[in-house]
Amino acid sequence: MGNENGGEQGLATITYRLQGLGCDCEGQIVEKKLKKLKGVANYSLNPVTFKMKISYDPTLVTTDDIQKAIVKGGAKPVLA
């Protein structure tokens, strides 16, 4: 779906703008949810723009799984 590109060692990368975050601490809640997903290799969140870049193994986790984890963390993922 969307912004998936092949990355290192078979990893794909997707970037979302997270809507609904009021502060950086809420972004940390989203990061904790992503950390629990098997297959998410790396993620980074810009605390100013709330853009999150995620590298993941598409054989272990889907973009739907990632989006559900972001929603459970309290944000709405919008492809960036």
XYZ file of all heavy atoms in Angstrom:
598
model
N 0.837 -1.188 0.000
C 0.000 0.000 0.000
C 0.871 1.236 0.000
O 1.804 1.342 0.770
C -0.892 -0.037 1.242
C -1.637 1.229 1.467
S -2.657 1.112 2.936
C -3.369 2.710 2.857
N 0.629 2.147 -0.845
C 1.208 3.477 -0.774
C 2.693 3.583 -0.982
O 3.221 3.197 -1.999
N 3.391 4.052 0.029
C 4.752 4.530 -0.045
C 5.782 3.462 0.298
O 6.730 3.722 1.006
C 4.858 5.720 0.919
C 6.113 6.518 0.759
O 6.869 6.316 -0.171
N 6.327 7.429 1.685
N 5.607 2.236 -0.161
C 6.514 1.165 0.191
C 7.637 1.077 -0.830
O 7.407 1.021 -2.016
C 5.769 -0.166 0.256
C 4.711 -0.173 1.327
C 3.903 -1.450 1.321
O 4.459 -2.502 1.023
O 2.711 -1.368 1.600
N 8.856 1.034 -0.327
C 10.027 0.913 -1.186
C 10.926 -0.169 -0.611
O 11.019 -0.319 0.592
C 10.818 2.226 -1.222
C 9.994 3.371 -1.737
O 9.313 3.234 -2.741
N 10.045 4.499 -1.054
N 11.608 -0.883 -1.485
C 12.563 -1.880 -1.015
C 13.696 -1.197 -0.286
O 14.154 -0.144 -0.686
N 14.160 -1.792 0.777
C 15.244 -1.211 1.557
C 16.339 -2.232 1.767
O 16.454 -3.206 1.045
N 17.143 -1.990 2.763
C 18.238 -2.887 3.078
C 17.705 -4.242 3.525
O 16.716 -4.324 4.245
C 19.100 -2.291 4.193
C 19.817 -1.017 3.798
C 20.620 -0.464 4.945
O 21.040 -1.241 5.806
O 20.812 0.752 4.974
N 18.394 -5.296 3.115
C 18.109 -6.656 3.560
C 16.635 -7.014 3.452
O 16.062 -7.618 4.344
C 18.601 -6.843 5.002
C 20.074 -6.555 5.158
C 20.504 -6.504 6.607
O 19.669 -6.426 7.500
N 21.783 -6.537 6.843
N 15.988 -6.631 2.366
C 14.599 -6.982 2.156
C 13.597 -6.180 2.955
O 12.433 -6.531 3.008
N 14.062 -5.113 3.590
C 13.154 -4.282 4.380
C 12.436 -3.292 3.474
O 12.984 -2.816 2.495
C 13.916 -3.509 5.458
C 14.561 -4.327 6.569
C 15.298 -3.410 7.522
C 13.542 -5.164 7.306
N 11.206 -2.996 3.822
C 10.428 -1.971 3.142
C 10.368 -0.755 4.064
O 10.563 -0.865 5.267
C 9.032 -2.482 2.838
N 10.106 0.403 3.477
C 10.018 1.640 4.252
C 8.716 2.347 3.896
O 8.323 2.380 2.741
C 11.211 2.559 3.932
O 12.411 1.874 4.230
C 11.154 3.830 4.764
N 8.081 2.892 4.912
C 6.857 3.661 4.711
C 6.907 4.878 5.628
O 7.471 4.817 6.718
C 5.611 2.779 4.968
C 4.347 3.453 4.460
C 5.493 2.382 6.422
C 3.172 2.513 4.308
N 6.336 5.978 5.159
C 6.335 7.207 5.952
C 4.890 7.666 6.160
O 4.115 7.725 5.211
C 7.139 8.318 5.247
O 8.462 7.842 5.018
C 7.197 9.581 6.096
N 4.569 7.972 7.403
C 3.247 8.477 7.762
C 3.394 9.823 8.444
O 4.382 10.082 9.133
C 2.548 7.548 8.763
C 2.143 6.222 8.214
C 2.812 5.064 8.591
C 1.083 6.094 7.330
C 2.434 3.825 8.102
C 0.685 4.870 6.840
C 1.370 3.729 7.232
O 0.992 2.516 6.732
N 2.396 10.663 8.276
C 2.246 11.850 9.111
C 1.194 11.468 10.134
O 0.095 11.020 9.785
C 1.792 13.060 8.287
C 1.801 14.351 9.093
C 1.593 15.570 8.217
N 0.471 15.453 7.307
C -0.800 15.718 7.634
N -1.111 16.102 8.849
N -1.748 15.597 6.729
N 1.537 11.610 11.401
C 0.626 11.203 12.464
C -0.254 12.378 12.872
O 0.227 13.410 13.308
C 1.418 10.690 13.669
C 2.386 9.545 13.382
C 3.029 9.074 14.667
C 1.707 8.396 12.673
N -1.555 12.200 12.694
C -2.515 13.238 13.077
C -3.086 12.902 14.448
O -3.257 11.738 14.791
C -3.653 13.313 12.065
C -3.234 13.826 10.723
C -4.409 13.956 9.762
O -5.430 13.300 9.921
N -4.258 14.801 8.768
N -3.386 13.937 15.199
C -4.028 13.743 16.489
C -3.069 13.726 17.665
O -3.499 13.541 18.796
N -1.780 13.911 17.411
C -0.825 13.963 18.510
C -0.744 15.385 19.031
O -0.620 16.328 18.261
C 0.565 13.507 18.050
C 0.708 12.067 17.602
C 2.164 11.780 17.230
C 0.243 11.097 18.671
N -0.797 15.522 20.338
C -0.714 16.846 20.931
C 0.689 17.224 21.353
O 1.024 18.392 21.435
N 1.518 16.209 21.596
C 2.884 16.486 22.041
C 3.782 15.290 21.722
O 3.305 14.225 21.329
C 2.916 16.775 23.536
S 2.412 15.368 24.553
N 5.058 15.481 21.940
C 6.038 14.434 21.660
C 5.815 13.203 22.547
O 6.048 12.076 22.131
C 7.458 14.981 21.855
C 8.515 13.976 21.456
O 8.322 13.307 20.419
O 9.528 13.858 22.162
N 5.327 13.416 23.769
C 5.114 12.289 24.669
C 4.053 11.330 24.117
O 4.152 10.114 24.295
C 4.754 12.757 26.069
S 3.284 13.781 26.153
N 3.077 11.856 23.411
C 2.078 10.999 22.779
C 2.704 10.207 21.630
O 2.318 9.075 21.362
C 0.889 11.829 22.290
C 0.083 12.415 23.431
C -1.037 13.332 22.974
O -1.143 13.616 21.766
O -1.813 13.766 23.834
N 3.688 10.793 20.963
C 4.426 10.075 19.930
C 5.186 8.895 20.506
O 5.332 7.853 19.855
N 5.648 9.024 21.733
C 6.358 7.927 22.394
C 5.422 6.750 22.660
O 5.856 5.596 22.627
C 6.999 8.422 23.686
C 8.132 9.392 23.433
C 8.661 10.021 24.710
O 8.243 9.677 25.815
N 9.579 10.955 24.567
N 4.159 7.020 22.893
C 3.179 5.950 23.076
C 3.044 5.162 21.777
O 3.021 3.928 21.781
C 1.820 6.509 23.538
C 1.954 7.142 24.922
C 0.751 5.420 23.533
C 0.761 7.960 25.363
N 2.984 5.873 20.644
C 2.915 5.215 19.334
C 4.170 4.373 19.118
O 4.093 3.228 18.674
C 2.746 6.252 18.202
C 2.864 5.583 16.838
C 1.410 6.962 18.329
N 5.335 4.917 19.463
C 6.589 4.186 19.298
C 6.587 2.896 20.118
O 7.051 1.861 19.648
C 7.773 5.061 19.687
C 8.029 6.174 18.696
C 9.186 7.082 19.077
O 9.699 6.967 20.215
O 9.593 7.882 18.224
N 6.043 2.930 21.325
C 5.972 1.723 22.154
C 5.091 0.660 21.509
O 5.401 -0.531 21.567
C 5.453 2.065 23.557
C 6.464 2.797 24.402
C 5.898 3.135 25.760
C 6.894 3.965 26.554
N 6.372 4.370 27.856
N 4.003 1.083 20.887
C 3.120 0.129 20.194
C 3.842 -0.506 19.009
O 3.704 -1.700 18.756
C 1.833 0.814 19.730
C 0.976 1.368 20.849
C 0.366 0.281 21.671
C -0.545 0.868 22.741
N -1.067 -0.145 23.648
N 4.602 0.303 18.262
C 5.337 -0.219 17.115
C 6.450 -1.166 17.546
O 6.725 -2.159 16.875
C 5.931 0.925 16.290
C 4.945 1.752 15.489
C 5.648 2.927 14.847
C 4.252 0.901 14.430
N 7.078 -0.851 18.657
C 8.182 -1.673 19.161
C 7.717 -3.097 19.458
O 8.486 -4.046 19.353
C 8.735 -1.017 20.427
C 10.072 -1.517 20.859
C 10.547 -0.698 22.050
C 12.027 -0.856 22.239
N 12.521 -0.058 23.349
N 6.450 -3.265 19.795
C 5.898 -4.579 20.118
C 5.647 -5.434 18.879
O 5.476 -6.637 18.991
C 4.597 -4.429 20.905
C 4.803 -3.866 22.291
C 3.488 -3.745 23.028
C 3.691 -3.160 24.411
N 2.429 -3.069 25.146
N 5.616 -4.812 17.693
C 5.340 -5.555 16.466
C 6.589 -6.292 15.995
O 7.647 -5.689 15.817
C 4.882 -4.613 15.350
C 3.504 -3.989 15.485
C 3.256 -3.063 14.299
C 2.430 -5.041 15.559
N 6.451 -7.579 15.781
C 7.554 -8.356 15.229
C 7.677 -8.000 13.752
O 6.700 -8.027 13.020
C 7.279 -9.848 15.392
C 8.429 -10.713 14.972
C 8.176 -12.161 15.292
C 9.405 -12.961 14.951
N 9.294 -14.330 15.410
N 8.874 -7.637 13.330
C 9.106 -7.287 11.937
C 9.378 -5.816 11.716
O 9.852 -5.430 10.656
N 9.089 -4.965 12.710
C 9.423 -3.548 12.594
C 10.887 -3.403 12.999
O 11.268 -3.706 14.125
C 8.522 -2.664 13.479
C 9.001 -1.222 13.468
C 7.080 -2.737 13.005
N 11.718 -2.982 12.031
C 13.155 -2.906 12.267
C 13.573 -1.567 12.864
O 14.325 -1.518 13.832
C 13.913 -3.158 10.967
N 13.103 -0.486 12.282
C 13.467 0.861 12.723
C 12.290 1.804 12.531
O 11.462 1.582 11.659
C 14.641 1.416 11.894
C 15.913 0.649 12.113
O 16.362 0.489 13.233
N 16.504 0.173 11.027
N 12.284 2.847 13.330
C 11.304 3.906 13.145
C 11.881 5.180 13.727
O 12.711 5.147 14.636
C 9.953 3.575 13.792
C 10.070 3.134 15.215
C 10.157 4.050 16.253
C 10.110 1.789 15.532
C 10.281 3.638 17.565
C 10.239 1.364 16.841
C 10.327 2.292 17.850
O 10.460 1.873 19.143
N 11.485 6.290 13.144
C 11.901 7.583 13.676
C 10.720 8.538 13.548
O 9.981 8.496 12.574
C 13.117 8.123 12.923
O 12.807 8.333 11.563
N 10.567 9.368 14.555
C 9.471 10.328 14.586
C 10.045 11.728 14.713
O 10.819 12.003 15.631
C 8.532 10.050 15.754
C 7.392 11.040 15.962
C 6.440 11.031 14.774
C 6.641 10.734 17.243
N 9.682 12.601 13.788
C 10.058 14.005 13.882
C 9.068 14.672 14.826
O 7.871 14.718 14.529
C 10.012 14.649 12.493
C 10.419 16.103 12.522
O 10.039 16.855 13.412
N 11.204 16.503 11.538
N 9.533 15.183 15.977
C 8.610 15.749 16.970
C 7.979 17.074 16.562
O 7.039 17.529 17.199
C 9.490 15.923 18.212
C 10.875 16.042 17.676
C 10.923 15.213 16.433
N 8.474 17.697 15.494
C 7.921 18.967 15.033
C 6.830 18.727 13.990
O 5.732 19.270 14.083
C 9.034 19.884 14.475
C 8.445 21.162 13.904
C 10.063 20.188 15.550
N 7.135 17.890 12.991
C 6.190 17.648 11.899
C 5.320 16.420 12.135
O 4.368 16.188 11.405
C 6.936 17.450 10.570
O 7.753 16.271 10.670
C 7.791 18.652 10.231
N 5.676 15.609 13.124
C 4.992 14.347 13.433
C 5.006 13.383 12.244
O 4.075 12.618 12.040
C 3.559 14.574 13.936
C 3.508 15.262 15.273
C 2.897 16.491 15.406
C 4.073 14.689 16.389
C 2.838 17.134 16.636
C 4.034 15.333 17.621
C 3.422 16.548 17.745
N 6.084 13.443 11.451
C 6.269 12.451 10.388
C 7.046 11.276 10.958
O 8.061 11.464 11.627
C 7.022 13.045 9.195
C 6.137 13.877 8.310
C 6.812 14.203 7.009
C 5.864 15.004 6.123
N 6.491 15.348 4.851
N 6.550 10.087 10.702
C 7.190 8.878 11.199
C 7.606 8.014 10.024
O 6.789 7.685 9.165
C 6.243 8.096 12.109
C 6.831 6.793 12.611
S 5.811 6.008 13.862
C 6.550 6.722 15.330
N 8.878 7.662 9.989
C 9.424 6.781 8.963
C 9.654 5.416 9.611
O 10.283 5.325 10.665
C 10.734 7.353 8.411
C 11.307 6.546 7.280
C 12.543 7.231 6.709
C 13.090 6.443 5.553
N 14.260 7.101 4.957
N 9.133 4.377 8.962
C 9.186 3.033 9.535
C 9.814 2.088 8.522
O 9.398 2.037 7.366
C 7.771 2.541 9.883
C 7.073 3.528 10.821
C 7.814 1.143 10.484
C 5.579 3.362 10.900
N 10.822 1.329 8.965
C 11.400 0.255 8.159
C 10.909 -1.055 8.754
O 10.952 -1.245 9.974
C 12.926 0.297 8.209
O 13.403 1.494 7.654
N 10.442 -1.940 7.886
C 9.861 -3.185 8.384
C 10.087 -4.319 7.397
O 10.383 -4.105 6.226
C 8.362 -2.998 8.646
C 7.564 -2.714 7.398
C 6.874 -3.732 6.741
C 7.512 -1.439 6.853
C 6.152 -3.473 5.587
C 6.797 -1.170 5.700
C 6.125 -2.191 5.071
O 5.431 -1.946 3.920
N 9.947 -5.541 7.903
C 10.067 -6.743 7.086
C 8.665 -7.139 6.637
O 7.855 -7.583 7.457
C 10.712 -7.867 7.900
C 10.944 -9.125 7.091
O 10.299 -9.303 6.033
O 11.768 -9.947 7.518
N 8.345 -6.982 5.354
C 6.980 -7.262 4.883
C 6.591 -8.740 4.953
O 5.418 -9.056 4.814
C 6.977 -6.744 3.440
C 8.401 -6.666 3.043
C 9.202 -6.463 4.289
N 7.543 -9.613 5.222
C 7.198 -11.027 5.389
C 6.722 -11.308 6.813
O 6.136 -12.354 7.069
C 8.391 -11.950 5.054
O 9.457 -11.699 5.983
C 8.868 -11.730 3.629
N 6.970 -10.366 7.733
C 6.591 -10.558 9.137
C 5.455 -9.654 9.605
O 4.731 -9.990 10.535
C 7.805 -10.335 10.046
C 8.980 -11.282 9.861
C 10.150 -10.863 10.732
C 8.568 -12.715 10.174
N 5.319 -8.487 8.992
C 4.315 -7.523 9.431
C 3.770 -6.777 8.202
O 4.501 -6.537 7.250
C 4.913 -6.538 10.477
C 5.980 -5.655 9.881
C 3.843 -5.708 11.141
N 2.488 -6.462 8.231
C 1.865 -5.753 7.107
C 1.670 -4.281 7.453
O 1.724 -3.895 8.629
C 0.490 -6.361 6.766
O -0.414 -6.101 7.860
C 0.581 -7.857 6.508
N 1.395 -3.485 6.429
C 1.108 -2.076 6.687
C -0.176 -1.922 7.496
O -0.301 -0.999 8.284
C 1.016 -1.264 5.377
O 0.045 -1.864 4.522
C 2.356 -1.200 4.674
N -1.114 -2.854 7.330
C -2.338 -2.816 8.140
C -2.004 -3.001 9.620
O -2.575 -2.331 10.481
C -3.329 -3.890 7.695
C -4.039 -3.531 6.399
O -4.059 -2.344 6.026
O -4.586 -4.451 5.765
N -1.083 -3.926 9.921
C -0.660 -4.136 11.311
C -0.029 -2.868 11.870
O -0.283 -2.492 13.022
C 0.354 -5.283 11.404
C -0.227 -6.630 11.005
O -1.441 -6.835 11.192
O 0.549 -7.479 10.519
N 0.810 -2.223 11.061
C 1.481 -0.999 11.492
C 0.456 0.106 11.747
O 0.498 0.790 12.766
C 2.525 -0.564 10.445
C 3.676 -1.577 10.413
C 3.041 0.847 10.728
C 4.638 -1.407 9.254
N -0.492 0.254 10.819
C -1.519 1.289 10.986
C -2.366 1.035 12.226
O -2.690 1.969 12.960
C -2.396 1.349 9.743
C -1.683 1.906 8.538
C -2.514 1.851 7.270
O -3.686 1.492 7.294
N -1.904 2.201 6.151
N -2.709 -0.217 12.487
C -3.502 -0.549 13.679
C -2.734 -0.203 14.945
O -3.316 0.301 15.918
C -3.886 -2.028 13.671
C -4.959 -2.352 12.655
C -5.250 -3.840 12.620
C -6.207 -4.177 11.479
N -6.412 -5.618 11.335
N -1.419 -0.461 14.961
C -0.608 -0.137 16.138
C -0.558 1.373 16.352
O -0.626 1.845 17.493
C 0.805 -0.699 15.971
N -0.469 2.137 15.269
C -0.445 3.601 15.378
C -1.773 4.103 15.944
O -1.794 4.960 16.835
C -0.131 4.239 14.012
C 1.317 3.929 13.611
C -0.369 5.747 14.051
C 1.669 4.315 12.184
N -2.877 3.546 15.464
C -4.203 3.945 15.959
C -4.340 3.588 17.444
O -4.841 4.386 18.241
C -5.322 3.306 15.111
C -6.679 3.500 15.762
C -5.321 3.892 13.707
N -3.866 2.411 17.832
C -3.916 2.018 19.250
C -3.079 2.951 20.115
O -3.367 3.129 21.296
C -3.441 0.577 19.427
C -4.447 -0.443 18.959
C -3.944 -1.849 19.180
C -4.939 -2.871 18.663
N -4.457 -4.260 18.821
N -2.053 3.551 19.504
C -1.221 4.514 20.217
C -1.845 5.887 20.328
O -1.303 6.770 20.967
N -2.975 6.092 19.638
C -3.697 7.352 19.780
C -3.541 8.325 18.633
O -3.873 9.500 18.771
N -3.028 7.866 17.490
C -2.845 8.768 16.350
C -3.508 8.183 15.116
O -3.823 7.000 15.060
C -1.356 8.983 16.074
N -3.693 9.036 14.125
C -4.228 8.610 12.847
C -3.095 8.654 11.821
O -2.515 9.718 11.594
C -5.362 9.531 12.404
C -5.940 9.163 11.045
C -7.024 10.140 10.628
C -7.499 9.821 9.221
N -8.434 10.808 8.736
N -2.742 7.518 11.187
C -1.667 7.513 10.207
C -2.153 7.981 8.833
O -3.155 7.493 8.324
C -1.244 6.044 10.147
C -2.473 5.288 10.513
C -3.242 6.163 11.465
N -1.459 8.949 8.263
C -1.765 9.458 6.929
C -0.481 9.318 6.113
O 0.570 9.801 6.532
C -2.206 10.937 6.970
C -2.446 11.464 5.574
C -3.450 11.089 7.841
N -0.562 8.651 4.959
C 0.630 8.489 4.136
C 1.232 9.844 3.794
O 0.524 10.765 3.428
C 0.300 7.740 2.840
C 0.133 6.231 2.982
C -0.340 5.628 1.670
C 1.428 5.574 3.428
N 2.543 9.919 3.938
C 3.238 11.196 3.667
C 4.070 11.086 2.415
O 4.426 10.049 1.982
C 4.136 11.546 4.851
